[in-house]
Amino acid sequence: MKKWLFTPLIILFGVVLLYAQKVEFTEFDLDNGLHVILHQDNSAPIVTVGFMADVGGKDLGGDNNPNRTGFAHFFEHLLASGATKNIPKGEWRKIRAARGGSGNANTSLDRTYYYQTFPSNNLEFALWMDSERLLHPIINQEAVDTQNEVVKEEKRLRYDNSPYGQILFVINDNLFSKHPYKNKNIGEMEDLDAASLEEFQAYFDKYYVPNNLVLVVAGDIEIDETKELVRKYYSAIPKGEVIERNFPKEAPITETIETTFYDPNIQLPAIIAAYRTPGHFDKDSYALNMLSNYLSNGKSSVLYKKMVDEQKQALQAGLFNLSQMDYSISAIFAIPQGDVSLETLLSEIDEEIVKVQNNLISERDFEKLQNQFESQFVNSNSSIEGIATSLATYYMLHDDVNLINNELDIYRSITREDLKRVANEYLRPNQRAIIKYLPKNESE
């Protein structure tokens, strides 16, 4: 019995130590405007080199031509493994793997992130390789045509031929009419097909400039040595023009938007209730993240427990909160079980929303919620790659690198009253889009 009690105490003590562990970092700027963040951790012989570009799916090609979507995602593919002046076509991944490295890239509507992790004795090689795609990328017609086919195949696999693969696209299309968040992050294939080589080259020249990037180097490094290596490999990149954005603002949603979408890849319908919510600079966005977890994170969450486990009305039910810079999205999604109607599912969902609008959640549930966010926060920074990603994200998207140490304090400052308030302010029936997501054959 004593042994059983002792083990949780050890775990709890370890967690407390993790919470208390501050992530140290050093920041500096090159003359060309490149912002650099270094994090030294010599506990393991690995290093992650990554850069985040302030360009995402909301940034259109062709000088913001509405018919030039998908450029940011296209460049994710081209720069993640494309040819450069000193790295032949098809050799990027082979060269990296030969040095024991790995890497990836990803694009959101707000930013694009590239990173590579190597044994730390390859630090200089990693910085050279990373700078190559900024200094000497090959952006010719052959490269454009090759990546165009790669993007088309990804779109077919992940979205066009994937069950429920169009859901986020449909949500964006109904919540946004002016802001470029209405566009598909992967873009429209006809837009990429129609774009000229000169348009792709101009996009790179506009957005992939040092004053529009942040470089992060994290892991088994020495700060002074790494500063010199960064200067050696990145100082020659020419500074670009200052990018000005003036995206149109959306009018508030004051009447329920009702629409139907048909997906040929599904057998079972779904109901979606989607709300446009504040961007992540607003503290209410944090409260909505917590409310989302309360309603739908895991099998013990309110919606899953009620609709899937207890009442057997749904095969799946949940809410996700997509945090973005200008506007965020809260969306509830449910698939019925048997002959349960979509209207019944929506009614059951609304019943739970009304509960959090009218009553404070219990102290016990709130404590559980806080523990979940503490655990998520610690886990996100439990690896060198995770820390590198966080440092780049907090700088580029939040304008505050030190959130890596104090964002948890924001979550801890949120109260049960805040959850009730944001539910009343942002989850009203007249402020949402109701989407019936149906199998194709129901339209015939």
Side-chain angles (χ1 to χ4, degrees):
M1 183 67 174
K2 290 182 180 178
K3 183 178 180 181
W4 182 87
L5 287 171
F6 186 62
T7 302
L9 286 175
I10 293 175
I11 295 172
L12 179 61
F13 183 69
V15 170
V16 170
L17 285 178
L18 281 171
Y19 290 163
Q21 190 175 36
K22 183 179 180 181
V23 176
E24 302 286 351
F25 56 87
T26 299
E27 298 179 86
F28 68 102
D29 293 301
L30 298 186
D31 291 341
N32 58 12
L34 179 66
H35 190 74
V36 184
I37 306 173
L38 307 180
H39 167 68
Q40 182 173 344
D41 180 349
N42 305 115
S43 60
I46 59 170
V47 62
T48 293
V49 174
F51 72 86
M52 186 172 286
D54 186 7
V55 59
K58 67 186 179 186
D59 298 296
L60 307 177
D63 197 22
N64 282 317
N65 181 341
N67 296 316
R68 292 296 183 268
T69 60
F71 272 51
H73 175 262
F74 174 90
F75 269 95
E76 173 205 320
H77 283 272
L78 191 146
L79 296 181
S81 59
T84 75
K85 177 182 176 182
N86 297 301
I87 301 177
K89 178 183 176 182
E91 294 298 309
W92 184 283
R93 289 186 175 91
K94 295 177 185 177
I95 292 172
R96 182 173 64 199
R99 295 279 188 135
S102 62
N104 213 331
N106 52 73
T107 310
S108 75
L109 287 168
D110 287 323
R111 92 297 178 271
T112 310
Y113 181 54
Y114 306 80
Y115 66 94
Q116 301 189 107
T117 299
F118 285 89
S120 54
N121 60 356
N122 287 280
L123 172 61
E124 183 167 3
F125 176 81
L127 291 169
W128 168 78
M129 195 177 190
D130 192 64
S131 64
E132 261 295 293
R133 53 185 163 193
L134 294 170
L135 270 168
H136 307 123
I138 302 297
I139 308 174
N140 55 23
Q141 195 61 53
E142 180 185 7
V144 167
D145 291 343
T146 298
Q147 297 307 323
N148 208 349
E149 291 306 311
V150 172
V151 172
K152 286 178 181 178
E153 183 62 18
E154 179 184 352
K155 185 173 184 290
R156 283 191 288 267
L157 289 174
R158 293 185 60 186
Y159 303 106
D160 295 347
N161 300 321
S162 177
Y164 308 101
Q166 306 287 323
I167 281 180
L168 187 56
F169 298 157
V170 178
I171 290 172
N172 286 344
D173 191 48
N174 282 279
L175 291 185
F176 302 102
S177 59
K178 298 177 181 178
H179 193 284
Y181 281 166
K182 66 187 175 65
N183 297 314
K184 297 173 182 175
N185 192 36
I186 199 169
E188 302 292 348
M189 296 306 98
E190 55 266 30
D191 291 354
L192 295 176
D193 286 340
S196 66
L197 174 61
E198 290 73 24
E199 285 177 303
F200 286 108
Q201 293 169 335
Y203 194 86
F204 177 85
D205 292 341
K206 178 178 181 178
Y207 291 107
Y208 283 89
V209 290
N211 46 302
N212 198 51
L213 307 173
V214 58
L215 173 71
V216 176
V217 186
D220 184 25
I221 63 172
E222 297 298 329
I223 297 296
D224 291 340
E225 174 194 5
T226 306
K227 283 184 177 180
E228 291 308 309
L229 289 173
V230 167
R231 292 188 179 101
K232 176 180 178 180
Y233 288 104
Y234 292 86
S235 292
I237 306 172
K239 186 174 185 176
E241 297 294 326
V242 175
I243 297 168
E244 296 183 2
R245 295 177 173 90
N246 188 24
F247 295 132
K249 298 188 184 307
E250 294 285 345
I253 298 172
T254 57
E255 294 184 7
T256 304
I257 300 166
E258 296 189 34
T259 190
T260 301
F261 181 84
Y262 296 97
D263 186 340
N265 302 301
I266 64 173
Q267 301 297 317
L268 298 174
I271 188 73
I272 304 162
Y275 306 79
R276 191 199 311 142
T277 54
H280 62 221
F281 285 104
D282 195 314
K283 185 180 174 182
D284 284 353
S285 180
Y286 288 89
L288 286 161
N289 281 336
M290 294 187 77
L291 185 60
S292 170
N293 268 30
Y294 169 72
L295 290 171
S296 68
N297 184 30
K299 293 185 177 181
S300 63
S301 65
V302 169
L303 291 176
Y304 192 95
K305 208 155 113 183
K306 171 188 174 182
M307 298 173 66
V308 179
D309 281 349
E310 296 174 1
Q311 298 180 179
K312 312 294 184 188
Q313 295 170 313
L315 293 173
Q316 185 177 338
L319 183 153
F320 70 87
N321 198 61
L322 179 60
S323 183
Q324 301 178 136
M325 288 187 72
D326 298 337
Y327 300 97
S328 299
I329 295 171
S330 289
I332 303 170
F333 171 80
I335 300 174
Q337 183 165 221
D339 59 358
V340 176
S341 69
L342 297 182
E343 289 76 15
T344 297
L345 293 185
L346 183 60
S347 176
E348 296 291 346
I349 289 168
D350 283 344
E351 184 178 276
E352 296 308 313
I353 293 176
V354 169
K355 285 180 183 177
V356 294
Q357 288 172 333
N358 293 336
N359 305 287
L360 298 177
I361 70 172
S362 71
E363 288 279 9
R364 181 178 178 181
D365 285 339
F366 187 62
E367 183 178 351
K368 175 184 172 184
L369 197 56
Q370 288 180 314
N371 290 338
Q372 287 176 350
F373 274 84
E374 289 183 347
S375 177
Q376 289 172 18
F377 186 80
V378 170
N379 288 338
S380 68
N381 297 316
S382 63
S383 68
I384 291 301
E385 282 187 1
I387 288 173
T389 302
S390 293
L391 289 169
T393 300
Y394 288 132
Y395 172 80
M396 184 62 72
L397 300 186
H398 297 264
D399 199 28
D400 183 2
V401 186
N402 205 45
L403 278 175
I404 196 169
N405 293 311
N406 60 30
E407 187 178 49
L408 188 55
D409 293 335
I410 299 175
Y411 282 111
R412 286 171 174 160
S413 72
I414 293 169
T415 65
R416 294 188 298 153
E417 288 77 12
D418 288 326
L419 300 187
K420 179 181 176 183
R421 177 181 55 79
V422 296
N424 278 285
E425 189 166 347
Y426 302 109
L427 304 186
R428 297 175 183 170
N430 66 323
Q431 294 176 299
R432 66 186 181 184
I434 299 298
I435 303 163
K436 291 184 177 180
Y437 196 93
L438 305 179
K440 181 81 171 182
N441 58 16
E442 290 198 12
S443 68
E444 297 172 352

